[in-house]
Amino acid sequence: MTAPESEPAPATEKPLDKLIARIKGILLKPSREWEIIENEKATLQSLFRDFLAPLAALPAIANFLGMLVSGRHEPFAALTGSVLAYAFSLLGVYAIGHVIYQMADNFSGRQDKMKAMKTAVYSSTPIWIAGIIFLAPAFNFFFVFSLYAVFILYRGLSILMKAPADKVTGYESVVVGVAIVVFIIFAAITAGLTI
């Protein structure tokens, strides 16, 4: 009697392939992607390690190279500024995740820390992709990408945080307002430390 053949193990997706698939999904079909994200198991560590950290590195690297090419910054100052901006961008997304969580109850949303962090992490995708423009500042569509990030955040607050339709705009306005203040403060600190 022969032993039954075992089924082949499912092929595991490479980290870069998963990252690219998630970027495409959140940018091209955000509502569908939010539905997938809602049911995925994740940890804070996996969100930051597998998605946010590599994606947020794109504008940091582009900024560093842009500063070097411009010739207006010494290499060490350019590196220091880019590293600080990168660290503050990660910290900023973490802070926004907490704001989303803390404000959920005020807007009849679901208070779920992990879903709040997912919302903060994935809704920032267009901003990190737009950050590549730091290589060519004249080609500046950053504002357009930021508006698209607001739309993606709106969908995330609706789907992941279960904010009702009549309250999601107010919820989003508070989150965006806090995000702007947080990133202005971090940008000022970075500029002050790298002068």
Side-chain angles (χ1 to χ4, degrees):
M1 184 171 182
T2 59
E5 289 184 33
S6 60
E7 290 185 24
T12 56
E13 207 173 1
K14 294 178 186 170
L16 183 59
D17 293 339
K18 285 176 70 172
L19 179 68
I20 292 169
R22 175 55 41 89
I23 292 167
K24 285 164 103 175
I26 205 75
L27 293 179
L28 302 177
K29 297 179 180 177
S31 295
R32 181 178 164 270
E33 197 68 18
W34 280 125
E35 297 286 350
I36 294 167
I37 290 167
E38 181 180 19
N39 298 312
E40 283 179 344
K41 291 192 189 298
T43 63
L44 185 61
Q45 180 183 3
S46 70
L47 284 174
F48 275 67
R49 179 194 64 222
D50 300 338
F51 189 80
L52 184 61
L55 204 57
L58 294 175
I61 292 167
N63 187 40
F64 172 68
L65 294 174
M67 289 166 73
L68 285 182
V69 170
S70 75
R72 293 188 306 241
H73 300 277
E74 294 294 322
F76 182 74
L79 180 62
T80 303
S82 297
V83 169
L84 283 172
Y86 176 69
F88 282 140
S89 67
L90 298 178
L91 185 59
V93 172
Y94 182 77
I96 299 310
H98 277 286
V99 170
I100 291 170
Y101 169 70
Q102 293 295 333
M103 298 304 295
D105 197 42
N106 296 342
F107 294 96
S108 305
R110 168 172 50 190
Q111 273 201 300
D112 182 311
K113 285 184 182 179
M114 186 48 57
K115 292 197 187 321
M117 203 56 67
K118 285 179 178 183
T119 304
V121 167
Y122 292 124
S123 65
S124 64
T125 302
I127 293 170
W128 307 129
I129 298 300
I132 296 171
I133 63 171
F134 286 124
L135 282 171
F139 188 67
N140 197 339
F141 288 111
F142 192 77
F143 180 71
V144 173
F145 281 87
S146 297
L147 287 178
Y148 193 57
V150 170
F151 167 73
I152 291 174
L153 173 64
Y154 179 90
R155 297 302 302 139
L157 293 173
S158 299
I159 295 170
L160 265 64
M161 303 309 292
K162 303 297 184 202
D166 62 330
K167 296 193 176 183
V168 72
T169 302
Y171 190 6
E172 179 182 42
S173 298
V174 170
V175 172
V176 169
V178 171
I180 290 169
V181 170
V182 165
F183 284 104
I184 287 173
I185 291 168
F186 286 161
I189 293 169
T190 301
L193 292 173
T194 56
I195 289 178

